[in-house]
Every structure is written in structure tokens, then in C-alpha cells.
Amino acid sequence: MSTVYSCLFSIREWAANLAGIVSREGTIQELIDESEQLFDNFIDVNDSTYSLIARTKNIEPADPLSTELVRLGCHNLDAIKAAESIGAFGEWRDQSDINVFGPDETVPFKYITCVLKDRNSYAGHIVMVCNNHDATPGMMDMFRILSNSCQQIVSSAFFNESPTALFLRKLIDNARLTQAYFDEQSSLLGLDTTGWFGLGMIDYRGGEYSEQPSWVASMLQKTFPDYQVFPYEDSLLVLSFCKEGHVERRKEDFEKLDAFCLEMKCTAYASDTFEHLRNLRFAFAQTRIARSYKSCIDIEMRPLDNIDSRRVFHFGDAFAYYCLDGRETDPDLWSFCMDHTILDDIVAAEPGHSISDVKLLYCYLFNERKTTPTAQQLHMHRNNVLYRIGSIEKRFGIDLGQFGTRERLISCYRYKILTSNKFRQLLV
């Protein structure tokens, strides 16, 4: 009887100590340290990116999966795929209470798991490998007490907002930030403010990891290690930057983003490139425009460009719809879009031919990409037309074989002809 009383007293004292750690806003590692001797099994806690944030210090893991976790500090992608192939991680994310799994080919012991939530989103999980003591009902009850304590401090143990993300969100939300504030903050954060920027908005909600924004953000950051990745509202944003060679870099980024969306089964929307960080809010508006016209783009592109399922939608694909839709009321955004067109880039980079690139492209498009009538109209050799058009596509990263690209260029020509006498002179 004295042994039973002693055991109950130890458990009561342990539960009180856990409550004390929670009340003073301690760490999850402290909870594990307090519990290690009582459980005498290997315990680890992972965040939503499967990175290790706490574990028993004096009890070494006895299974390959936990050993690799401790060695690397996270479950690598191969381990995750192997575990998901037998349903382990998927079942962990979906469970609503503690559960017992195994033994199986990944973990040769029974293991108890519990999902941790942060504002109804998957934030991680706590796992105990029963390598020294079996998963008895009493062990499960104590594990539930430990899991509840972890749950109470989970929000402070995981995601912390970075100063850079806060500043970038301010640039999107507040058009009235002073230049002095912008210069001071960008300098403190070490951000480049001029160069070639691009913005991608990743809509993970319909993907396979819709309840794991931190996991998606982690994978996105690994895909684009040199770029800024930060959450905004119901999406994740990735801000690209380069000093030069932006056409080639932009093409590479699109290929990476497309592969990322395929892997994560999500959708992305991309802005035009822009030259100053202060224009971030306009770039974000462009990604939202691309999302607004997604269904239109999908219908238009599928038969004409032989695309079965698009994963990345560019503002350029939505440009013609944006021009035709009379509901747009932001004159600043409209001016930004029209002052930063592909035609402006072509005019600025004019190499000095007797017939300008902008005039050649105009004739080529309005002749429905027929080389012979274009050559006759401009008194050029047909092969020279083909060479020059190919050079334009390569230098400015455009594909005239895509219907959306041609529609956008034609819309830009019409707008420039309508509003600019100087531009009209270039076509005479």
C-alpha cells in the first residue's frame, strides 16, 4: 500500500510541477525534462515542419526514425515520405486525441502520439516511443497530462514573427508610410530596395498540407533559400530579388515554383517584375488580380496552349481581363500596371535598328504572327524578321506562342497608342 501511495504522490507532484512550468510560460523542453524520469521512455516533440524542438536528454532513441531525427534535428524529406507511405504522419495530423501506433517497419516499438494545435492549425506533435515500458492505460493517461501541458504553451513555443515579415506586410497594407520610415527600416533590416523584384502568392488552402502553413513555408524557404518567405492573410508570399539577369532568373523561379506547387498540390499567383521595393503593394495587388481571374485564365489557356492543369497563374495571363473589367477603381494600381509594361522595357532597351523592335513586334502581332506580310510591310527580309522576333522573346522572357502573352501585348499597344503621342510616333 505504501508503494501505491508513493507512486500516486510522485504523479501528483509531477502534475503540479508541469502546471507550474505552464503558469510561468516555460518551455516544452522543461516539460520533457520534468517527465523524463517518470516515463523512462524516449519522448520527442516536433513542430509543423517536423523539426525537433524538445526531447528526453538522458534516454537515447532505440529506433532508426528517432535516431535520425536526433542526428539531423528534423525528419528529412525521405523519412517523411517513407512514414507517409505507411500512413504514419498523415494519421498523426488527423488524430484528435492521443493514439497508439506500431510496432511497424519504421518504429519497432509501440509509440504514443498526440497532435498539437495552434489556433486550430496543425502545429506539431509529441511522440513517446515505448522502448523501455509498454503503452499501458496508466502510461497513456500520464501521456495525456503531458500533452495537455504542451498544448497550453504551444503558441509561444513555435512560430515567432520576424521583423522583416512585419515590415513587408506594412508595405502591403499601408500606402502612406513615409519615405523616412521606409529608408530607416529597410536599412536596419539590410533589405535591398532597388533592383529586380518579383512576388509570388502561394495558396496552400486547397493543397495536401492545408492545415500546415508552417510546413509549407519551411519547404518554400528551402526551395527559395535566398528570397523572403512570409505569411500574409490566408496565403504565403515569396519575394524574389536579383540585381541583374532578371529575365533568366525569373524563368528559373517559375520552373521551381511550378515544381513546388506540383509537389504540395497547391496553386500560386505571380506578379510582374518591379524595380523598387516600395511598389510591393502593387505587386501584391497583381497576384490577387491573377487569383480573381483564375477560372477565366484556365478556360482560355487549356484549349489554346494545350495545358491540362495550370499550377502557376501570372498577372500577365489576367491582364486582358483586368483591362476589360470595369469594376477596377484603384487609379494608382492602374497607372502602375500601365507604366510597367513589357513595351516600356522594349522601348528602354532599344538597340538602335533602323526599324525599332517595338514597331517590328507591333506589325508581327497585328499580322497574326505571319512572317511574310510583316517582312513586306517593313521592307525586311523574312529571315531577319524571324531572327529579330526570336531575339525579342529571349531578351525579354516572353513566349509569343502563348495566347495570354499576345493578348497582353496587343492590349498594351492599344492603350499606349490611345494615351501617348510619343509612343504613336514610334510606330509611324
Side-chain angles (χ1 to χ4, degrees):
M1 186 64 70
S2 61
T3 303
V4 173
Y5 279 127
S6 177
C7 182
L8 291 175
F9 180 80
S10 297
I11 293 173
R12 184 175 180 180
E13 183 182 24
W14 164 72
N17 290 339
L18 293 187
I21 294 171
V22 171
S23 64
R24 62 177 172 80
E25 298 182 352
T27 67
I28 289 182
Q29 183 61 61
E30 289 180 272
L31 297 176
I32 301 301
D33 291 343
E34 183 66 33
S35 307
E36 181 172 334
Q37 186 175 357
L38 185 66
F39 284 97
D40 194 28
N41 279 327
F42 177 76
I43 303 172
D44 67 81
V45 183
N46 288 205
D47 64 11
S48 61
T49 69
Y50 302 122
S51 296
L52 181 66
I53 63 171
R55 72 177 182 93
T56 51
K57 296 177 180 177
N58 301 309
I59 302 174
E60 292 299 322
D63 62 283
L65 188 63
S66 299
T67 301
E68 188 75 353
L69 169 66
V70 172
R71 187 179 72 84
L72 297 176
C74 66
H75 286 302
N76 62 28
L77 199 56
D78 291 337
I80 292 168
K81 289 181 177 179
E84 286 182 336
S85 68
I86 61 171
F89 286 141
E91 292 177 9
W92 286 354
R93 287 195 299 269
D94 296 336
Q95 71 184 66
S96 57
D97 194 11
I98 68 169
N99 211 336
V100 180
F101 296 92
D104 54 41
E105 59 187 73
T106 307
V107 182
F109 308 99
K110 287 184 179 179
Y111 52 102
I112 311 175
T113 72
C114 184
V115 163
L116 301 175
K117 296 280 187 178
D118 182 12
R119 289 167 294 185
N120 296 321
S121 294
Y122 174 80
H125 54 262
I126 176 171
V127 180
M128 181 171 68
V129 181
C130 299
N131 53 320
N132 291 327
H133 301 283
D134 199 10
T136 63
M139 184 74 75
M140 293 175 64
D141 287 340
M142 290 193 299
F143 185 80
R144 182 177 283 105
I145 294 172
L146 175 60
S147 300
N148 289 339
S149 298
C150 291
Q151 182 62 67
Q152 292 179 59
I153 60 174
V154 70
S155 59
S156 62
F158 292 115
F159 180 72
N160 290 315
E161 195 69 273
S162 72
T164 299
L166 290 171
F167 175 63
L168 294 175
R169 281 212 294 270
K170 282 185 178 180
L171 291 182
I172 294 173
D173 292 332
N174 193 344
R176 298 186 178 183
L177 293 178
T178 65
Q179 186 64 42
Y181 174 84
F182 173 83
D183 293 339
E184 178 186 23
Q185 293 298 310
S186 58
S187 176
L188 287 172
L189 295 170
L191 292 174
D192 289 292
T193 58
T194 57
W196 294 101
F197 296 91
L199 187 69
M201 177 173 69
I202 291 79
D203 185 356
Y204 59 84
R205 295 171 302 169
E208 190 168 328
Y209 301 91
S210 59
E211 293 187 357
Q212 296 175 265
S214 297
W215 165 246
V216 180
S218 173
M219 293 296 100
L220 189 62
Q221 190 69 76
K222 289 180 180 179
T223 304
F224 299 102
D226 299 328
Y227 297 160
Q228 298 292 338
V229 175
F230 58 101
Y232 185 87
E233 295 178 346
D234 58 354
S235 60
L236 291 168
L237 303 182
V238 53
L239 178 65
S240 64
F241 172 78
C242 64
K243 282 290 187 183
E244 56 187 17
H246 70 284
V247 173
E248 294 80 7
R249 178 71 69 87
R250 190 74 164 149
K251 183 179 179 181
E252 292 175 7
D253 289 347
F254 263 78
E255 292 173 352
K256 288 182 181 179
L257 189 58
D258 185 72
F260 175 85
C261 290
L262 178 63
E263 176 77 16
M264 295 293 171
K265 296 180 175 60
C266 58
T267 309
Y269 307 90
S271 75
D272 283 340
T273 53
F274 55 102
E275 298 177 56
H276 201 285
L277 187 58
R278 286 220 66 164
N279 289 325
L280 180 62
R281 69 186 185 94
F282 294 127
F284 177 71
Q286 288 183 341
T287 64
R288 297 186 74 170
I289 289 171
R291 183 166 68 176
S292 297
Y293 298 111
K294 173 187 173 183
S295 59
C296 299
I297 298 167
D298 208 28
I299 291 171
E300 179 180 274
M301 293 297 183
R302 194 168 295 183
L304 293 172
D305 285 340
N306 195 28
I307 296 174
D308 293 330
S309 180
R310 293 175 66 83
R311 293 176 292 271
V312 181
F313 295 80
H314 191 278
F315 171 71
D317 300 328
F319 185 84
Y321 296 108
Y322 170 68
C323 292
L324 293 170
D325 195 339
R327 294 172 294 176
E328 180 56 58
T329 58
D330 186 347
D332 292 334
L333 174 59
W334 176 263
S335 297
F336 173 80
C337 293
M338 292 305 176
D339 290 341
H340 295 79
T341 68
I342 301 172
L343 297 185
D344 292 287
D345 294 339
I346 295 175
V347 170
E350 188 58 60
H353 295 291
S354 57
I355 297 174
S356 67
D357 283 344
V358 73
K359 183 176 181 178
L360 170 62
L361 184 58
Y362 173 75
C363 293
Y364 184 72
L365 289 172
F366 281 88
N367 279 313
E368 299 179 336
R369 293 189 297 158
K370 295 176 181 177
T371 308
T372 300
T374 301
Q376 292 173 347
Q377 186 175 350
L378 298 176
H379 306 291
M380 295 173 62
H381 193 279
R382 182 179 182 276
N383 290 343
N384 195 17
V385 170
L386 289 172
Y387 174 79
R388 291 270 301 277
I389 290 296
S391 175
I392 293 170
E393 288 183 292
K394 182 177 180 180
R395 284 186 291 128
F396 298 100
I398 58 177
D399 181 2
L400 296 178
Q402 292 188 356
F403 180 76
T405 300
R406 301 194 300 273
E407 278 288 293
R408 180 176 188 181
L409 286 168
I410 290 171
S411 298
C412 289
Y413 269 113
R414 286 172 175 157
Y415 176 80
K416 295 287 187 182
I417 291 170
L418 180 66
T419 60
S420 172
N421 182 61
K422 182 178 180 181
F423 185 83
R424 287 197 296 270
Q425 294 302 313
L426 296 174
L427 305 180
V428 175

